[in-house]
Amino acid sequence: MTQRILSITSGENFRDLGGYQTTDGRHLKWRKLIRSGALGKLDDHDQAKLAALNVKYDIDFRSPAEVKQLPDHVPSTAQFHHEPVFGTDLTEASKTTADLDQELMTIPNRGASHMQEVYRQMTHLDSSLVAYRNFFNYLLSTPDDGALLFHCQAGKDRTGFGAYLVLSALGVDFETIQQDYLLTNTTTSDWVTNKLAELRAAGHSETFVNNYAQLAGVDESYLHAATSAIQAQYGSVNQFLTDALQLSNHDLRDLQSLYLTDN
């Protein structure tokens, strides 16, 4: 796992998708696919680290308001592309506690049910389908010697769904994809623990604290809400890739050629 987590100190949740095995025995190339949280606080040193990986595309899934509030510090090697999954940040990852819905204070597990609905929406909203369709276009355009980085605010939901899609397209089994998805809870555990302690110290109810924890982390039920919606409408994730995201068999073969190795 040490090799997977990038040593970025002025940003959160920077991870390499390299090394994962596909069902046909191939592996994802290292330092080709990077998932992360927002790049708006990157210092020069960390930008240089990403430039050393020859990051060619910086794909930002955040809403327009999020991008305006905290613009990316784009590595010198990369082109920035804004592909908003939502018109507004439905995940609430960028909101302060004062902005959170009143229901979070009174309804147990409202955070989890909210996130499950967000994941279902990522499977059918026009803005989401356009964003992920364009995401694959950039994936297919990344040169052999370059890397692609994709992110949202916290690097867990819109980014997590994007990782699910690309890893599925490359032939990684669902159990491995889910393990990568849940890794966010490890990489962000210190931040979440400190934030929950702050909320308790400020006098917030346990209902609110637990709901905030559900918003701040990831859970199997969130990803399963998306996969169940895809199964119900398309039959399989492969059919979603071809029908909803308009990827041809040729595109999928090219994707595998770019990002997989026999070693």
Side-chain angles (χ1 to χ4, degrees), residues 65-154:
E66 291 173 282
V67 173
K68 183 177 180 180
Q69 182 180 8
L70 188 67
D72 274 6
H73 292 172
V74 182
S76 61
T77 55
Q79 298 177 14
F80 173 80
H81 293 280
H82 183 208
E83 298 293 343
V85 172
F86 303 121
T88 58
D89 177 24
L90 298 182
T91 66
E92 303 189 3
S94 63
K95 295 185 178 181
T96 65
T97 54
D99 295 323
L100 295 178
D101 194 281
Q102 181 70 24
E103 293 179 354
L104 299 179
M105 301 182 185
T106 56
I107 302 177
N109 296 317
R110 182 66 182 93
S113 62
H114 171 80
M115 294 307 302
Q116 290 159 12
E117 177 57 27
V118 166
Y119 276 68
R120 282 189 285 268
Q121 291 191 42
M122 283 193 282
T123 69
H124 67 79
L125 283 182
D126 287 345
S127 59
S128 179
L129 297 181
V130 169
Y132 290 116
R133 191 176 301 138
N134 290 341
F135 171 49
F136 274 93
N137 289 336
Y138 297 122
L139 287 165
L140 287 164
S141 300
T142 303
D144 288 338
D145 63 346
L148 179 143
L149 180 148
F150 61 104
H151 74 91
C152 51
Q153 189 69 21

Side-chain angles (χ1 to χ4, degrees), residues 34-246:
I34 309 298
R35 56 173 294 178
S36 75
L39 277 61
K41 297 180 180 179
L42 288 185
D43 59 24
D44 292 345
H45 183 64
D46 283 336
Q47 286 186 70
K49 287 182 181 179
L50 294 177
L53 298 179
N54 202 23
V55 172
K56 291 297 187 181
Y57 293 119
D58 166 16
I59 310 301
D60 190 340
F61 290 139
R62 295 179 299 165
S63 67
E66 291 173 282
V67 173
K68 183 177 180 180
Q69 182 180 8
L70 188 67
D72 274 6
H73 292 172
V74 182
S76 61
T77 55
Q79 298 177 14
F80 173 80
H81 293 280
H82 183 208
E83 298 293 343
V85 172
F86 303 121
T88 58
D89 177 24
L90 298 182
T91 66
E92 303 189 3
S94 63
K95 295 185 178 181
T96 65
T97 54
D99 295 323
L100 295 178
D101 194 281
Q102 181 70 24
E103 293 179 354
L104 299 179
M105 301 182 185
T106 56
I107 302 177
N109 296 317
R110 182 66 182 93
S113 62
H114 171 80
M115 294 307 302
Q116 290 159 12
E117 177 57 27
V118 166
Y119 276 68
R120 282 189 285 268
Q121 291 191 42
M122 283 193 282
T123 69
H124 67 79
L125 283 182
D126 287 345
S127 59
S128 179
L129 297 181
V130 169
Y132 290 116
R133 191 176 301 138
N134 290 341
F135 171 49
F136 274 93
N137 289 336
Y138 297 122
L139 287 165
L140 287 164
S141 300
T142 303
D144 288 338
D145 63 346
L148 179 143
L149 180 148
F150 61 104
H151 74 91
C152 51
Q153 189 69 21
K156 65 186 189 73
D157 302 310
R158 291 162 287 187
T159 301
F161 185 63
Y164 159 70
L165 293 176
V166 69
L167 291 175
S168 296
L170 291 171
V172 178
D173 67 275
F174 181 74
E175 182 178 353
T176 300
I177 294 172
Q178 182 169 265
Q179 288 173 354
D180 176 79
Y181 171 76
L182 294 174
L183 186 56
T184 282
N185 288 335
T186 299
T187 60
T188 63
S189 62
D190 289 345
W191 181 89
V192 172
T193 297
N194 291 336
K195 184 63 179 180
L196 299 185
E198 290 177 11
L199 294 176
R200 290 189 176 97
H204 288 284
S205 69
E206 278 303 302
T207 297
F208 182 86
V209 171
N210 290 335
N211 278 326
Y212 189 90
Q214 292 166 3
L215 292 176
V218 293
D219 188 85
E220 292 179 4
S221 68
Y222 306 169
L223 186 58
H224 288 183
T227 59
S228 295
I230 288 173
Q231 183 73 26
Q233 184 168 356
Y234 295 94
S236 70
V237 64
N238 288 335
Q239 205 64 43
F240 177 83
L241 292 169
T242 57
D243 290 357
L245 301 190
Q246 301 174 2

